[in-house]
Amino acid sequence: MNSEIFEKLSPNKLFFRCAVPSMITMAFGALYQIADGMFVGRFIGGDALAAINLIMPIIMIVFAFSNMIATGASVRISILLGEKNREEASRVFSFSLKVIFVISCIIGILGFFSARPFVNLLSPGASQQAIDYGVTYIRVHAIFSPFLLIFFAIDNFLRVCSKEKLSMWISIATQILNIVLDVILIVFLGQGVWAAAFTSCVSMAAGAIITLWLFTGKKMDLFYIKKGIRASTFFRILANGFSEFFSNISMSVMSIVYNLFLLKYGGTTAVAAFSVIMYVDSIMGMLVFGMCDALQPSISYCYGAGLMEKVKAIFKRIIIGAIVLSSASMLFMMFIGKYVAPIFVKPEETELLAVSIVGMKLFSLSYLTGWVDMCFSSYFTALERPVRSLVTTFFGTLVFPIAFLFILTPVWQLNGVWLTSVAACTTSAVLTFILALTMRIKPIS
């Protein structure tokens, strides 16, 4: 089995084999997001940029259902492969894809016909143009939802099979296709927001179809199988994936809450500025996520194989990598971000640019402690400790941010919104360390 490399390779070799391709994928994905944001901001306008930021939480909530099942299934599959039970692992894999497909069809139908009420609910104070753009963006995604949810799920299963490089190349090819289509439809043909949504959806659909085909036959550790799984196994999958699901939901809910505060203290301009900050954040910030996500299968596999010292060694390297990446991210956003921000803004929108640069400098301080929750939540999930992962996520992405929004914004208004992430990440890091220090790990075998 290809997944046996998790057992055979040293922690250092395993770290670089798994983490580097995932980080390259994330870096390239960040460049794609920058290009996508540039096309929308420079060729369509600030209203379009704000619209995407307003409705993106809804899209991410939809993707969260797929990610919950895929993450939970990946943990169970990795442990089963560590126990050398390939057939049961393939049952979990096949059943998970079926469930994701059914959920995606239901969500797609609901999303298409409920787009306008959702956007109106999320956009009090936004311009009518931004609202119309948001409705269009959601409806295009709703049409493609079965492919999109599969695309976001199946990459997890490639990495479980130790196909990190293959996953990387598929992701890069998908992003290149998206950029090429953006150039054709938005830059040369002058199309609007529907084109920005369409190019993303078509690219991800192509990636999903290619990846699904790779699992045909028995060429990899996982293969399609008709047999189902026990109800207890499925509930275990949901339990393992729930913390990741809640994390995505919480971040999406917080994006909605942030947008409400941004609209209150800075209007549509502040929402657009937040989009710019998130685009710049994606350049370096997503590298930590990519590293943690890539090494989760190896931790679960070694845990299933009873290799607890190796589990600790792998996680130690994750911590070191996260500290280095987060420090670089903070310095990049604080000192280089002001040179990157203008590519998302029309030259005449000087107010938007000024607000974006101030926001970036304040937001960058959150990198000092923001890596803690990300690393430990992934670690708890990999060891099938869903409660600890859920507590980390619940307080780090929802409770503390909401509390600090209400504490800081009455004093510093818009700057209080930017500083909320700094205060919330620091407070949550303390709680997460307590949860980690009180955890006792016993090997399965």
Side-chain angles (χ1 to χ4, degrees):
M1 295 191 301
N2 292 319
S3 58
E4 289 180 347
I5 66 158
F6 296 144
E7 186 173 347
K8 296 176 180 178
L9 293 182
S10 68
N12 282 335
K13 290 182 178 179
L14 195 59
F15 178 86
F16 287 106
R17 179 189 172 101
C18 296
V20 171
S22 180
M23 289 164 66
I24 291 173
T25 301
M26 289 295 174
F28 203 90
L31 292 175
Y32 145 69
Q33 289 181 35
I34 289 171
D36 201 49
M38 180 185 70
F39 294 137
V40 172
R42 293 296 292 263
F43 293 93
I44 304 177
D47 278 338
L49 205 60
I52 292 176
N53 189 52
L54 286 169
I55 57 87
M56 190 54 69
I58 297 298
I59 294 175
M60 296 311 298
I61 286 173
V62 171
F63 290 156
F65 286 97
S66 172
N67 192 51
M68 173 179 65
I69 297 170
T71 300
S74 295
V75 171
R76 186 92 291 265
I77 288 168
S78 296
I79 292 173
L80 288 169
L81 291 175
E83 295 171 345
K84 308 299 187 290
N85 193 344
R86 185 186 178 198
E87 182 171 341
E88 181 64 21
S90 295
R91 288 186 186 184
V92 173
F93 160 70
S94 301
F95 184 80
S96 299
L97 286 179
K98 294 173 185 175
V99 173
I100 290 169
F101 178 75
V102 172
I103 291 174
S104 68
C105 291
I106 296 171
I107 290 176
I109 294 170
L110 292 174
F112 186 87
F113 292 103
S114 303
R116 187 164 293 278
F118 267 129
V119 176
N120 285 329
L121 182 65
L122 299 173
S123 314
S127 67
Q128 187 59 46
Q129 183 67 76
I131 292 173
D132 291 340
Y133 280 151
V135 172
T136 299
Y137 204 82
I138 285 183
R139 284 179 173 167
V140 174
H141 277 75
I143 293 171
F144 283 90
S145 61
F147 293 107
L148 304 185
L149 268 69
I150 291 293
F151 178 78
F152 271 83
I154 205 163
D155 175 69
N156 291 270
F157 303 126
L158 274 179
R159 286 185 280 104
V160 164
C161 294
S162 187
K163 295 294 183 180
E164 299 86 6
K165 290 184 179 179
L166 182 59
S167 172
M168 177 187 73
W169 287 116
I170 290 174
S171 180
I172 289 174
T174 299
Q175 291 152 6
I176 289 175
L177 176 60
N178 196 342
I179 292 173
V180 170
L181 292 175
D182 274 341
V183 171
I184 294 172
L185 290 177
I186 298 176
V187 179
F188 290 130
L189 298 181
Q191 299 300 304
V193 165
W194 77 267
F198 178 78
T199 57
S200 297
C201 292
V202 167
S203 302
M204 286 188 281
I209 292 169
I210 292 170
T211 311
L212 285 169
W213 175 80
L214 292 173
F215 286 95
T216 56
K218 295 187 178 181
K219 301 183 291 291
M220 293 196 285
D221 292 345
L222 300 175
F223 52 89
Y224 299 118
I225 189 169
K226 292 182 178 179
K227 296 179 180 178
I229 60 176
R230 295 186 298 272
S232 58
T233 301
F234 181 62
F235 288 126
R236 194 169 188 175
I237 289 170
L238 295 180
N240 287 334
F242 187 75
S243 62
E244 301 301 317
F245 170 77
F246 190 82
S247 175
N248 289 325
I249 291 291
S250 297
M251 287 188 287
S252 297
V253 170
M254 275 312 304
S255 293
I256 295 171
V257 175
Y258 271 121
N259 286 335
L260 293 174
F261 276 81
L262 290 166
L263 287 169
K264 178 180 178 180
Y265 290 107
T268 304
T269 298
V271 175
F274 189 64
S275 297
V276 173
I277 293 170
M278 292 299 99
Y279 282 125
V280 178
D281 169 65
S282 69
I283 298 172
M284 294 292 288
M286 287 300 292
L287 293 178
V288 177
F289 173 79
M291 178 185 63
C292 296
D293 200 41
L295 288 162
Q296 192 178 81
S298 63
I299 291 176
S300 296
Y301 183 99
C302 292
Y303 178 54
L307 306 173
M308 296 311 301
E309 289 304 314
K310 193 165 187 177
V311 167
K312 295 176 182 178
I314 294 170
F315 188 59
K316 179 181 178 181
R317 284 152 179 80
I318 292 175
I319 293 295
I320 294 172
I323 292 173
V324 172
L325 289 172
S326 295
S327 299
S329 299
M330 182 187 70
L331 294 173
F332 180 89
M333 181 173 280
M334 185 172 289
F335 297 107
I336 309 297
K338 62 183 178 181
Y339 300 109
V340 179
I343 70 174
F344 303 101
V345 182
K346 288 183 175 181
E348 62 270 22
E349 295 182 313
T350 55
E351 182 187 1
L352 172 57
L353 180 60
V355 172
S356 301
I357 292 173
V358 172
M360 278 191 288
K361 289 183 178 180
L362 295 176
F363 180 86
S364 67
L365 297 173
S366 65
Y367 286 119
L368 289 171
T369 53
W371 59 271
V372 176
D373 281 7
M374 199 177 299
C375 291
F376 280 92
S377 178
S378 179
Y379 183 59
F380 294 150
T381 299
L383 298 180
E384 292 194 306
R385 299 295 193 278
V387 174
R388 290 177 187 268
S389 183
L390 179 60
V391 170
T392 299
T393 298
F394 178 65
F395 282 91
T397 61
L398 195 63
V399 175
F400 292 139
I402 289 178
F404 281 110
L405 271 174
F406 282 99
I407 293 171
L408 299 179
T409 53
V411 180
W412 289 302
Q413 298 186 346
L414 185 57
N415 285 342
V417 178
W418 310 133
L419 289 170
T420 290
S421 293
V422 182
C425 286
T426 302
T427 309
S428 184
V430 175
L431 174 63
T432 300
F433 279 131
I434 293 172
L435 291 172
L437 292 173
T438 56
M439 182 174 69
R440 297 291 179 266
I441 307 173
K442 294 182 180 180
I444 292 178
S445 57

